Amino acid sequence: MSVERMEVSVSSAEPLRPVRVPQQNRVFLDFFWDLANPDQEVRLKAVENLIQYLQTGDMADELEYTLKRLVDGLAHTRETARPGFSLALGQVLSAFEDISLQSILDRIKEKHNLQAVKKKLARNAMFGNLFGVLALHQSGRLVKEPQVVLGCVQLLQCLIQHKQHLKDLPSKTMTDILTEIPEEVFEEVLLSALEADLASAFRTPEQMQLLLVALQHFPQALKPKKLKKLLDSSTIINADNIPKLVEVLKMAARSVKKERVLPSVALDLLKLSLKEDSFQLFWDKAITVGMFKEPSGPTHYLSYRLLGSALPLLSLSQLKEVLSGEVMMHYGEHVVSAQKPDRFKLAPEMDTYVSDFLQNCRNSDKQLVVMVSFSSLTNNGYPVVPSVWQVVQHLEPAALRSYVDWLKGTFLQPQSDRLLDFSTRKQKDESKEQKESSIFRLRKWIVARLASIINNHQVKKHEDLIMDVARFVFFHAFFSAKKATTSDIAETSRNPSIPLDDETRGALVNSFFGLLMSLHHMPLIDDSAAVNQKRSVGVTANGTMWIYHLVQFAQLLLSRPKHVQSIQPFSAEQKQAWDGMLESVANLKRKAKKGRTTESAAFQQLFLLIGMLLFKAPHEVLDIMKDLQSCIDKAQEKKINKKKKQQAMEKEEPEWVEVMVDILLSLLSQQSRHIRQVCKTVFSSICPHVTAAALTAIVDVLDPDKEDEEDGAVVVTDDGNKTQKKLKVDDDEEQDEDMEDDESEEGSDEESEGEEEEKEMQEGEVDQNFRLELMKVLQQQNALATEEDASSEEDLDDEAMMQLDKSLSALFSEQKKKIEEKKNEKMKLQKERGLVRDFKMKVLDLVEVFVARQAGSPLILGLVEPLLNIIDRGMSSGSEQQEQDFLRRAADIFRNHLCRSKVYCRTAGDRQGELHDLLDKLMSKARKLSDSSLCLYYFSASLYVVKVLRGAPPTETKEEPTADGAAASVNDLRFMGSVDVDRVSNLFREALISFMSRRKSPLTSQMFTDLFTRFPVLCVNLLDTAVQHITSAVRGHQQCQACVLVLRAMQSRDIQQLLSSYEWTQLCEKVSTQLVLSLGQVGQAESKVAKEKLVKTLELCQFVVKNIHQQKLFVDLEQLKQALQTLTSNVSFKKTGQLEDTYWAVMKHFGVMKPKVDKTKPKKDGEQEAAPKTMKGFLPETKKRKKRNKPVLEPAGDKSTPVTRPGEQKGMTKKKQDKKTKQKRPADSSAASQTNPAKKSKKQPDRKAGKKKKPKQKKGGEQM
């Protein structure tokens, strides 16, 4: 602030200003500091506060000072400060209208005169002028003072020359001024001043922009006659001016290369061409021809951005013409070429332009033209826009219907002449045999486009449109039309002009089952349900499932063999299965009307889905359909007549639930998310009926020990280059992603294969059989060198060499085939393992559902060991991502859904022996493990088994309002249900002893802490063992953990309630005895483990002593006190910390308080340095030269440094000054000057020494 004050006082040369303004009001001056703050919020607040302050009263002096400071600040060196001062000046001028704008403009010109300013400050002066004009413009008063407008424009015209610093800011400011002044002011004042700029409009984009703005706002002032006079033409856009306009647009394109935006001059020229009715000329000559003469770069990008910005401005006919021209072709080539990495992509910007146009345009015809045009821009038949283009969500329903009709018509009758198709140079060079059929590429994209419209829930569509698309895809996937029928099958009215090939039908099949998945999760179209009400999905407005409508359509097609032909006709057996499916669904629907249940809906969904699979894989699905129908029949019979059913089932046939589980496992082997979710829903509905055999079938699939011998649900076959499961179904759930990944990885896979083969040939182990074969070939052709002919110079003749080449070529090609076969076999095995792991991940869905729905079933206990085996095997398996995901999923189900579930089996009374044996097995396994993380799962399983054995406390103790609540709670704590407490206690005691006696035990103290917390009765039985190991554990760490366990147990209120007063006293005596022995073993606690053990021991001591004193127990603590007192001789408490604080907290209970330490070091230092007091005028011992040469003999100085550091630094600086003037001073003055350090050292311990130092030095100087 002092610098600012100096600037103000120096620059105030004109009128004398009272000094009281900056000195009197500190708050007022702070406003100007805040205006230069980098934070925008602070600057805006400062402007607001400054205006309020100036309006409070008579502030003439402050206002004058404000104007001076604000004008000076316009040229601030800090970039963020200039806008702050400019805004403040504009607001001040707006608030105080009596201030003349002309005076302010004169101040700005005078203060920031470019002619008078120094060269290094010229740039700041330029910005000062610019921001001054901006402030005058922001005041909103320019319209009232035309002469000021003229002055501002003239000043800006001067600033335009300095483009290297200001860029186009002066031109933009001038344009903004023109947009706000009236036409009279422009015509009378500015036109003559701007005439030169307007006449040179074709020189720079800025001048052209100025002319366009003037034409837009002042058409009467710039009539054709005036333009003729200025530009030699009455219009701007004409054939003669096209070359000039092209150059202006090119300059504008290069000027925004870094900003990547559309220059405003280009859009204004487009608008002017529409106004002058010369759009066709401008677009064809200036844009299409002129801008694309140069290679791809800024000029091309300007044209693309102009195309996107022009969409809302063009008429329907102009849209059709522009979107089918050369600019669109160039844009398509850019999109294709920009797919390579590290290339600029303009497609996201074009998506934004199209999305904004569709969102703001309500004209369905224009929307349709834009969508069809971009969809018709194809590269060898494949459109450049993605099949999941999100802009479709902004279409009006009428435009969407027309667009879908266009897609279907193009699919059936593709017409290449109506497409805007192009090929890149590389594609033109390729042979036609290597190209994919353009018709197939187009149809594949259309199928994906139709599916994405249905999948996108944001698209505004009606049910009839959804059904129309689904019927279209289904019909052409599995049927073909013989002849047209009535309106009930509209799909037969138009046949494909080019027959559909197998690849196209495969894409249709995959797309159809993907649609089924989307329809299964589709919410109601007109969903007016309440917020809290559960929303229905997968059904139409009348409550019927979408898939049921499609099944009805399929039945209609099957019933019209004269008009419709199936691609794979049903056999008699398959047709019978189809009819049986329809009958079963009808029966389920009738029963659902009586009492609608989720079970019937799930079975309907399963029936209908398998029925649809009959069209895709009839041979594989046929047996599943039969089994499913028999299961439903048996399930219904069981409900009707349970006794008869039980008698029949006791003979040979398996339960219907077991067959149903086998069917679900078979279906899960298919890679379809829809089937996976339907199977999960069906299994959820049959969970209450699941038997032990059915659950065993699920567990056997997951059993790692049976992985090699399983041959049930998953079969991996090698079909060409594809590995598939039984009932092969393409992965419809991630179709688009897979297609993209395959396309992007094809090239890299081929390259990597060649490299791997070379490595195998070079670095791999030599095949001995191949070596023998090679030796034979060489020996047959006499080409193998031996010792006899080693010196021979004869070579093989040409014929022999040719024969040798053929033999070697055949041999190496055969060897290469063998290597490829081995590689393919290896990849096949990897894919097979991946498919098996993926299948098991799906089976885990069933396990998760069963654990969640039937947590209280006794069958749930059969999942404990299988899940543990999965976790055990998973932790020792490979580190592949799929393996880790499977392991993580299984562990989550086991711990979070099974062991931590609040619902558990409470009817295990008849299985006590079995559960106790299981507990014994789990604990034995846990002790033998080497991995602590795996042991945690086994220990959690053991606690879960104990919880099941204990069961829930009797309801009588909870419901009866007993007077003695404490007794009731103790009974609850003692309740252990069916647990054999002695046997279980022995098991956990052995585990605890193993933990305390083994150096590397997988068990942890946290496991036993959980045991003590959840089962206090077992904790009471294990306390004695834990207390013994306070001293007898194998290592200090285990002894420390024993202290922790005993402390946690004694702190538990449940334990305190379970123990009687006598037992509690005995426990305290045992613990105190062990603590005395433990403290007696303490040596120098220097290691981390020893310190931790001592801390935990003291914490236990603190609790025990405090509890004994509070409850006044008769326990002798004298030995413990003596052991604690002798502890200070063995352990040195160097500083305050947890160890020392805990120790004195314990001793406080014995009445021994922590001694207070007096800080006596400063006094001792003062006494040491007070010795030279009587030796005035002589050097102290520490300052003598002989001492300085021997730094080893200066311990006293080192000790005093931390205390006297500030004083010494000051003393040294004074001493250096004395050294410089030592030769010029008399001897007595030098001696007198040396007394000062001694005085300083004597007074340094005093806190006020710094204040007394300077007077003493002055006094010494006076004595001199």
Side-chain angles (χ1 to χ4, degrees):
M1 287 298 291
S2 60
V3 177
E4 197 67 39
R5 274 193 216 137
M6 182 183 68
E7 291 179 358
V8 171
S9 60
V10 170
S11 61
S12 59
E14 310 131 341
L16 289 175
R17 187 171 42 78
V19 187
R20 65 177 181 84
V21 175
Q23 292 181 351
Q24 205 172 36
N25 197 336
R26 184 78 261 169
V27 176
F28 171 64
L29 294 179
D30 287 342
F31 294 151
F32 301 101
W33 286 95
D34 291 340
L35 288 175
N37 195 292
D39 189 358
Q40 184 180 5
E41 296 295 331
V42 177
R43 296 200 300 268
L44 294 175
K45 190 66 176 176
V47 172
E48 182 182 354
N49 294 335
L50 177 62
I51 300 298
Q52 292 178 357
Y53 179 82
L54 294 175
Q55 291 177 339
T56 53
D58 185 12
M59 295 285 180
D61 295 332
E62 284 82 353
L63 183 58
E64 177 65 24
Y65 179 75
T66 299
L67 295 174
K68 171 72 174 55
R69 286 291 300 270
L70 294 180
V71 171
D72 292 348
L74 294 174
H76 205 287
T77 55
R78 201 183 307 166
E79 291 184 2
T80 56
R82 299 171 195 149
F85 283 98
S86 177
L87 177 62
L89 181 58
Q91 296 301 315
V92 169
L93 295 176
S94 177
F96 299 93
E97 296 188 0
D98 54 337
I99 301 175
S100 173
L101 295 185
Q102 185 65 47
S103 63
I104 301 300
L105 180 61
D106 294 339
R107 282 195 184 194
I108 294 171
K109 290 180 179 180
E110 183 181 356
K111 178 64 180 178
H112 309 297
N113 189 356
L114 296 178
Q115 306 300 328
V117 75
K118 293 182 181 179
K119 187 175 181 180
K120 63 180 181 180
L121 299 177
R123 185 174 184 272
N124 293 340
M126 296 174 196
F127 278 106
N129 286 300
L130 176 65
F131 280 101
V133 175
L134 285 174
L136 296 173
H137 178 231
Q138 290 171 353
S139 67
R141 296 168 48 195
L142 275 179
V143 182
K144 302 177 182 179
E145 300 187 26
Q147 293 303 319
V148 179
V149 176
L150 179 60
C152 290
V153 169
Q154 291 173 345
L155 183 57
L156 290 172
Q157 287 175 331
C158 297
L159 295 176
I160 287 177
Q161 303 172 6
H162 306 284
K163 197 171 182 179
Q164 70 274 18
H165 297 298
L166 304 177
K167 297 184 179 179
D168 59 347
L169 292 177
S171 301
K172 290 183 177 179
T173 306
M174 195 182 304
T175 303
D176 294 339
I177 292 175
L178 289 183
T179 57
E180 296 185 3
I181 62 174
E183 191 167 357
E184 295 80 11
V185 176
F186 173 77
E187 191 171 359
E188 296 174 1
V189 179
L190 290 184
L191 184 56
S192 57
L194 294 175
E195 191 168 344
D197 291 329
L198 296 177
S200 58
F202 291 105
R203 291 184 180 177
T204 62
E206 292 79 11
Q207 291 171 324
M208 175 59 71
Q209 179 69 21
L210 188 65
L211 174 61
L212 294 176
V213 172
L215 277 173
Q216 184 179 358
H217 289 84
F218 316 114
Q220 298 300 324
L222 295 174
K223 291 182 179 180
K225 290 183 179 180
K226 187 66 176 177
L227 287 178
K228 180 72 175 175
K229 181 180 178 182
L230 291 173
L231 306 173
D232 296 332
S233 62
S234 58
T235 59
I236 294 178
I237 299 175
N238 52 52
D240 297 333
N241 292 337
I242 287 296
K244 302 176 185 177
L245 291 174
V246 170
E247 293 302 320
V248 169
L249 289 173
K250 287 181 179 179
M251 286 188 286
R254 297 187 189 100
S255 65
V256 295
K257 183 178 179 180
K258 294 182 179 179
E259 292 80 4
R260 295 180 178 179
V261 294
L262 176 66
S264 56
V265 64
L267 187 58
D268 288 342
L269 280 172
L270 177 70
K271 294 177 181 179
L272 181 64
S273 69
L274 293 170
K275 184 179 179 181
E276 294 182 351
D277 199 15
S278 56
F279 171 76
Q280 193 68 37
L281 175 65
F282 173 74
W283 190 261
D284 291 343
K285 299 299 181 182
I287 303 300
T288 306
V289 177
M291 300 299 288
F292 286 95
K293 285 183 179 179
E294 296 187 2
S296 179
T299 57
H300 290 210
Y301 301 148
L302 181 144
S303 304
Y304 304 148
R305 294 187 178 105
L306 188 61
L307 171 66
S309 302
L311 294 178
L313 306 174
L314 303 180
S315 63
L316 186 61
S317 59
Q318 290 171 339
L319 278 173
K320 291 180 180 179
E321 187 172 354
V322 168
L323 295 176
S324 60
E326 291 293 326
V327 178
M328 281 288 284
M329 293 278 286
H330 288 294
Y331 171 71
E333 293 175 357
H334 160 75
V335 173
V336 174
S337 61
Q339 291 177 355
K340 297 180 181 179
D342 301 331
R343 289 202 178 183
F344 172 66
K345 298 175 178 59
L346 195 128
E349 294 183 41
M350 186 62 73
D351 291 348
T352 304
Y353 285 126
V354 177
S355 179
D356 294 341
F357 166 74
L358 296 176
Q359 195 169 4
N360 299 320
C361 176
R362 299 296 93 190
N363 190 330
S364 299
D365 295 334
K366 288 187 176 182
Q367 287 185 338
L368 179 62
V369 168
V370 171
M371 291 300 300
V372 169
S373 299
F374 276 94
S375 301
S376 301
L377 182 60
T378 57
N379 174 31
N380 278 354
Y382 199 85
V384 297
V385 294
S387 60
V388 290
W389 209 19
Q390 298 295 334
V391 299
V392 73
Q393 67 191 25
H394 302 302
L395 288 179
E396 292 292 313
L400 180 63
R401 164 58 73 179
S402 301
Y403 181 57
V404 169
D405 292 340
W406 178 84
L407 289 172
K408 293 193 300 182
T410 307
F411 179 88
L412 295 174
Q413 297 177 350
Q415 298 178 0
S416 302
D417 55 339
R418 293 188 179 181
L419 299 176
L420 204 61
D421 194 73
F422 65 92
S423 300
T424 60
R425 294 179 182 176
K426 187 177 181 180
Q427 291 170 343
K428 290 177 182 177
D429 296 339
E430 293 177 354
S431 63
K432 294 183 179 180
E433 297 178 358
Q434 296 178 352
K435 290 183 180 180
E436 191 178 9
S437 172
S438 60
I439 301 299
F440 166 68
R441 287 162 59 88
L442 177 61
R443 283 175 167 171
K444 183 172 69 172
W445 182 88
I446 290 175
V447 171
R449 170 83 277 198
L450 289 171
S452 68
I453 292 175
I454 305 303
N455 295 339
N456 191 346
H457 297 324
Q458 303 296 326
V459 178
K460 295 172 286 187
K461 51 187 178 291
H462 299 299
E463 289 185 355
D464 57 346
L465 177 66
I466 299 172
M467 197 64 203
D468 185 29
V469 172
R471 284 173 51 141
F472 177 83
V473 175
F474 175 75
F475 179 84
H476 293 287
F478 302 109
F479 292 90
S480 61
K482 290 183 178 179
K483 62 179 182 178
T485 62
T486 56
S487 59
D488 55 349
I489 307 179
E491 288 74 16
T492 59
S493 60
R494 299 173 66 184
N495 286 329
S497 59
I498 300 175
L500 303 180
D501 55 1
D502 293 337
E503 292 183 355
T504 304
R505 290 196 186 276
L508 284 166
V509 170
N510 294 335
S511 178
F512 173 71
F513 283 98
L515 278 176
L516 286 183
M517 174 69 183
S518 300
L519 295 175
H520 180 62
H521 294 284
M522 180 171 291
L524 288 175
I525 302 301
D526 299 326
D527 194 359
S528 57
V531 177
N532 297 329
Q533 186 177 350
K534 188 177 180 180
R535 300 181 64 184
S536 300
V537 293
V539 296
T540 58
N542 59 5
T544 307
M545 286 185 285
W546 283 102
I547 192 172
Y548 182 72
H549 285 292
L550 291 172
V551 168
Q552 286 182 322
F553 177 65
Q555 176 62 18
L556 176 63
L557 296 178
L558 292 174
S559 63
R560 302 287 182 87
K562 294 181 180 180
H563 303 87
V564 179
Q565 179 182 2
S566 177
I567 303 301
Q568 293 182 356
F570 282 170
S571 63
E573 191 176 9
Q574 293 165 0
K575 186 66 172 65
Q576 184 181 0
W578 173 265
D579 295 336
M581 180 271 296
L582 294 176
E583 184 180 354
S584 300
V585 171
N587 293 333
L588 288 170
K589 289 179 72 68
R590 282 196 299 270
K591 293 185 178 180
K593 290 180 181 179
K594 299 178 182 178
R596 183 173 179 82
T597 59
T598 56
E599 183 177 344
S600 63
F603 278 112
Q604 287 182 53
Q605 186 78 23
L606 184 60
F607 262 119
L608 296 171
L609 181 57
I610 296 178
M612 282 300 182
L613 287 174
L614 274 173
F615 291 97
K616 185 176 183 180
H619 300 290
E620 291 85 352
V621 178
L622 185 60
D623 295 336
I624 295 178
M625 180 68 77
K626 292 179 180 179
D627 294 339
L628 182 60
Q629 289 175 347
S630 64
C631 283
I632 296 299
D633 295 339
K634 291 176 183 178
Q636 292 174 353
E637 290 175 7
K638 186 171 183 179
K639 292 179 181 178
I640 296 173
N641 194 348
K642 292 184 178 180
K643 293 182 179 180
K644 293 182 180 180
K645 187 62 184 173
Q646 288 176 356
Q647 294 174 0
M649 293 302 294
E650 286 174 359
K651 297 179 181 178
E652 294 180 356
E653 296 182 3
E655 284 276 356
W656 66 270
V657 174
E658 300 170 19
V659 180
M660 179 61 73
V661 168
D662 289 338
I663 292 172
L664 296 179
L665 292 175
S666 175
L667 290 173
L668 283 175
S669 64
Q670 303 182 48
Q671 284 190 300
S672 171
R673 190 185 301 173
H674 188 192
I675 294 177
R676 179 178 183 178
Q677 293 185 351
V678 171
C679 290
K680 190 174 179 180
T681 306
V682 172
F683 185 76
S684 176
S685 63
I686 65 173
C687 271
H689 310 289
V690 171
T691 60
L695 191 61
T696 303
I698 298 174
V699 170
D700 288 344
V701 175
L702 299 172
D703 191 356
D705 298 329
K706 299 181 181 180
E707 186 172 352
D708 298 332
E709 57 191 39
E710 66 177 4
D711 56 351
V714 179
V715 177
V716 181
T717 58
D718 191 16
D719 183 11
N721 292 328
K722 297 180 181 179
T723 304
Q724 56 186 2
K725 292 182 181 178
K726 183 181 176 182
L727 298 179
K728 176 184 169 294
V729 178
D730 290 339
D731 193 2
D732 50 65
E733 62 204 55
E734 296 175 355
Q735 176 183 355
D736 290 341
E737 296 178 6
D738 293 345
M739 287 170 59
E740 293 174 2
D741 294 342
D742 293 343
E743 291 176 0
S744 61
E745 294 176 2
E746 278 179 359
S748 59
D749 290 344
E750 292 174 359
E751 295 175 1
S752 60
E753 285 178 6
E755 294 175 358
E756 290 176 1
E757 288 176 3
E758 292 179 1
K759 289 182 180 179
E760 288 182 3
M761 292 288 291
Q762 295 174 0
E763 301 176 3
E765 296 181 1
V766 179
D767 188 356
Q768 295 298 328
N769 294 330
F770 173 67
R771 174 178 287 182
L772 293 175
E773 293 292 333
L774 182 60
M775 296 284 288
K776 288 179 182 179
V777 171
L778 295 175
Q779 288 175 358
Q780 289 174 2
Q781 301 297 331
N782 295 325
L784 190 64
T786 58
E787 295 179 359
E788 290 80 6
D789 57 4
S791 61
S792 176
E793 297 181 356
E794 295 182 1
D795 296 331
L796 297 174
D797 56 3
D798 293 342
E799 185 178 354
M801 286 295 293
M802 293 294 292
Q803 186 66 28
L804 178 62
D805 288 345
K806 291 181 180 179
S807 302
L808 291 176
S809 176
L811 181 62
F812 277 98
S813 62
E814 184 180 354
Q815 179 66 14
K816 187 175 181 180
K817 289 181 181 178
K818 291 181 180 179
I819 293 175
E820 288 181 353
E821 289 177 359
K822 289 181 180 179
K823 183 180 178 182
N824 293 336
E825 187 67 24
K826 183 179 179 181
M827 293 181 64
K828 181 180 176 181
L829 290 175
Q830 290 178 351
K831 291 182 179 179
E832 183 178 350
R833 284 196 296 269
L835 290 173
V836 171
R837 185 62 62 207
D838 184 55
F839 170 67
K840 290 187 175 184
M841 186 76 81
K842 297 175 184 177
V843 176
L844 276 180
D845 289 346
L846 305 185
V847 176
E848 184 178 6
V849 169
F850 187 78
V851 171
R853 292 297 183 94
Q854 298 293 315
S857 171
L859 296 177
I860 207 77
L861 299 171
L863 295 175
V864 174
E865 286 189 280
L867 288 175
L868 285 174
N869 290 335
I870 293 172
I871 296 171
D872 191 357
R873 180 65 64 89
M875 287 189 172
S876 59
S877 63
S879 59
E880 298 178 1
Q881 184 62 36
Q882 203 175 16
E883 294 282 348
Q884 296 299 317
D885 293 341
F886 179 71
L887 171 62
R888 197 177 295 110
R889 180 88 187 281
D892 177 70
I893 293 173
F894 179 76
R895 290 203 68 186
N896 298 328
H897 297 126
L898 180 63
C899 294
R900 296 180 180 178
S901 176
K902 295 182 180 180
V903 181
Y904 55 92
C905 177
R906 305 189 181 190
T907 58
D910 54 341
R911 303 177 61 183
Q912 298 180 19
E914 179 185 349
L915 290 177
H916 280 92
D917 294 340
L918 176 61
L919 179 62
D920 193 352
K921 184 177 180 181
L922 293 175
M923 290 305 301
S924 300
K925 177 75 173 178
R927 294 198 303 270
K928 296 176 183 178
L929 293 173
S930 59
D931 189 0
S932 180
S933 58
L934 180 59
C935 180
L936 178 61
Y937 291 101
Y938 277 88
F939 202 88
S940 301
S942 303
L943 297 182
Y944 174 75
V945 173
V946 175
K947 181 174 70 172
V948 172
L949 279 170
R950 183 186 64 179
T955 55
E956 292 79 12
T957 59
K958 293 182 180 180
E959 295 178 356
E960 291 179 2
T962 57
D964 191 0
S969 62
V970 171
N971 291 333
D972 288 345
L973 293 174
R974 293 186 182 279
F975 175 78
M976 288 299 289
S978 303
V979 178
D980 186 349
V981 178
D982 294 337
R983 180 179 177 181
V984 174
S985 299
N986 289 332
L987 288 176
F988 285 106
R989 185 178 292 109
E990 292 175 1
L992 182 59
I993 293 174
S994 173
F995 169 56
M996 294 296 176
S997 58
R998 288 177 57 185
R999 287 186 172 271
K1000 294 184 179 180
S1001 175
L1003 300 167
T1004 62
S1005 61
Q1006 185 60 42
M1007 299 178 187
F1008 292 99
T1009 302
D1010 294 341
L1011 171 67
F1012 290 177
T1013 304
R1014 297 171 64 178
F1015 305 106
V1017 174
L1018 300 179
C1019 175
V1020 171
N1021 295 340
L1022 298 179
L1023 259 179
D1024 290 343
T1025 306
V1027 171
Q1028 292 175 4
H1029 285 92
I1030 292 177
T1031 55
S1032 62
V1034 65
R1035 288 191 307 173
H1037 174 69
Q1038 274 91 339
Q1039 295 175 8
C1040 171
Q1041 297 304 315
C1043 293
V1044 172
L1045 290 177
V1046 174
L1047 178 60
R1048 296 290 179 270
M1050 296 184 71
Q1051 288 175 338
S1052 173
R1053 291 193 175 186
D1054 296 339
I1055 305 299
Q1056 296 175 9
Q1057 291 179 4
L1058 286 172
L1059 293 175
S1060 63
S1061 58
Y1062 174 75
E1063 293 173 338
W1064 182 258
T1065 305
Q1066 293 297 318
L1067 176 63
C1068 292
E1069 287 183 359
K1070 294 178 182 178
V1071 173
S1072 61
T1073 303
Q1074 291 293 324
L1075 289 175
V1076 171
L1077 297 175
S1078 178
L1079 292 173
Q1081 298 174 357
V1082 174
Q1084 292 293 334
E1086 295 181 356
S1087 65
K1088 184 178 179 180
V1089 176
K1091 289 181 179 178
E1092 183 182 6
K1093 174 193 169 185
L1094 183 56
V1095 170
K1096 299 302 179 183
T1097 304
L1098 292 175
E1099 288 178 357
L1100 182 58
C1101 283
Q1102 182 182 3
F1103 177 81
V1104 171
V1105 174
K1106 180 180 178 180
N1107 190 273
I1108 291 174
H1109 287 167
Q1110 285 180 347
Q1111 298 186 13
K1112 300 180 180 180
L1113 302 178
F1114 295 100
V1115 179
D1116 185 13
L1117 297 176
E1118 190 63 28
Q1119 294 182 353
L1120 182 59
K1121 180 179 179 181
Q1122 294 176 0
L1124 288 169
Q1125 289 176 340
T1126 58
L1127 190 63
T1128 54
S1129 60
N1130 296 330
V1131 180
S1132 58
F1133 299 116
K1134 297 181 180 179
K1135 58 182 179 180
T1136 58
Q1138 185 182 10
L1139 179 60
E1140 184 178 13
D1141 294 344
T1142 308
Y1143 173 78
W1144 290 111
V1146 178
M1147 297 304 295
K1148 184 178 180 181
H1149 294 292
F1150 290 103
V1152 180
M1153 304 303 293
K1154 181 179 179 180
K1156 294 183 179 180
V1157 180
D1158 296 332
K1159 296 182 180 180
T1160 57
K1161 285 187 177 181
K1163 294 182 180 180
K1164 292 181 180 179
D1165 293 342
E1167 291 174 2
Q1168 291 175 359
E1169 296 182 3
K1173 185 176 180 180
T1174 57
M1175 305 291 292
K1176 249 179 192 178
F1178 292 92
L1179 283 173
E1181 293 295 327
T1182 57
K1183 300 295 183 181
K1184 290 183 179 180
R1185 189 173 297 278
K1186 61 180 180 180
K1187 298 284 186 181
R1188 290 180 188 174
N1189 295 334
K1190 298 179 181 180
V1192 182
L1193 303 177
E1194 294 182 0
D1198 293 339
K1199 289 182 181 180
S1200 61
T1201 48
V1203 182
T1204 62
R1205 186 174 296 160
E1208 282 185 4
Q1209 289 177 353
K1210 295 178 181 179
M1212 291 297 292
T1213 56
K1214 290 292 181 182
K1215 185 179 141 190
K1216 289 179 181 179
Q1217 293 175 1
D1218 293 340
K1219 277 187 177 183
K1220 294 179 182 178
T1221 57
K1222 189 174 181 181
Q1223 297 177 354
K1224 299 180 180 180
R1225 293 181 182 178
D1228 56 345
S1229 64
S1230 63
S1233 65
Q1234 294 294 336
T1235 60
N1236 291 331
K1239 293 181 181 178
K1240 289 178 194 173
S1241 61
K1242 181 176 70 175
K1243 296 293 183 179
Q1244 270 176 356
D1246 192 358
R1247 294 183 179 178
K1248 299 181 180 180
K1251 297 180 180 179
K1252 297 180 180 180
K1253 190 175 352 179
K1254 291 184 179 179
K1256 288 185 178 180
Q1257 289 176 351
K1258 290 179 181 180
K1259 185 177 180 181
E1262 291 171 1
Q1263 290 175 356
M1264 288 188 292

